[in-house]
Amino acid sequence: MQQMFWGALTACEQKGINMEIIFDENEGNAFCGKNYPVYFLKTPDKIDFKSVLRDVRKLVDENRQNKLILIEPEKENKYFLLFAALTGIMGSDDNSYPLQAVFKVKNFKQAAASYRPYFFFGTAAIYVLRLLQMDSDAVYRDIRTLGYLGLDIKTDYINNTIALHLPNPGKKYQFIVSSRHNTILLASFIKMLSLLKSDVNIDISIVLKMRAFDAKGLTDKDNLLEKLYWCASFFLDKQS
């Protein structure tokens, strides 16, 4: 039995995933000496993000009272990797969801390497959900703390902006945003890119115009997660 281990992650990064994702290369329905029901995961080549998210929620809700879900994917493709990442964001602090999702794989090391960028996508997705619960002041305070990831962050109190810069070789991009939706989306996206570090060859700047907005507004969180995936997919596909 082998478990996924992220030795290179900091403690702060490891907090990003709510449910522990484990890859086990042993055959059968046993894990750590105990047998579990096995969920067979169909893994089509075509990905519809909202369908994947719906299937993840259905599986997790049906296993709400279990501490562990054992999953056998049909293929270890991009669908499987996205399913694992979205499963990782489903846990909750009150332990009303499973604590672990164990995926049966053919090769632990290969699966872990392919999953790495999806792990960071999951971390960014949880950041989206976290920021959605905050009012504007809390959102901007939290975004200012992202400097620990290697971002250059400057606050301009005269023009009421926060500039986030991920310095890297490669093509330069700049975004200027003011809406609640795009503030949360792009702050989470640049967080994911900074976690990928040297695997990203673009230089990106995001200027956030600080505007007041209420917590728990009308933003559709599933729509926001889908857009984050759309932004991230190029980097996920490149690495996996």
Side-chain angles (χ1 to χ4, degrees), residues 2 33 41 63 79 106 133 142 202 209 223 229:
Q2 298 207 42
L41 175 64
N63 289 272
Y79 186 102
K106 294 179 181 178
Q133 301 302 312
D142 200 289
I202 65 170
K209 290 184 175 290
N223 184 51
Y229 175 71

Side-chain angles (χ1 to χ4, degrees), residues 23-25 41-45 71-82 103-112 114-115 118 240:
F23 297 134
D24 177 17
E25 61 183 24
L41 175 64
K42 293 183 179 180
T43 53
D45 293 326
I71 303 167
E72 181 182 345
E74 179 183 22
K75 292 184 289 186
E76 295 174 31
N77 57 6
K78 294 171 185 176
Y79 186 102
F80 147 70
L81 296 170
L82 178 60
F103 289 85
K104 292 288 186 174
V105 296
K106 294 179 181 178
N107 184 292
F108 158 76
K109 290 184 178 179
Q110 182 177 326
S114 297
Y115 183 65
Y118 285 82
S240 61

Side-chain angles (χ1 to χ4, degrees), residues 41 134 143:
L41 175 64
M134 301 179 181
I143 289 172

Side-chain angles (χ1 to χ4, degrees), residues 22 46 56 65 80 92 135-136 172 177 183 207:
I22 300 170
K46 185 177 180 181
V56 167
Q65 303 305 318
F80 147 70
S92 61
D135 62 25
S136 55
K172 296 183 180 296
V177 296
T183 292
V207 178

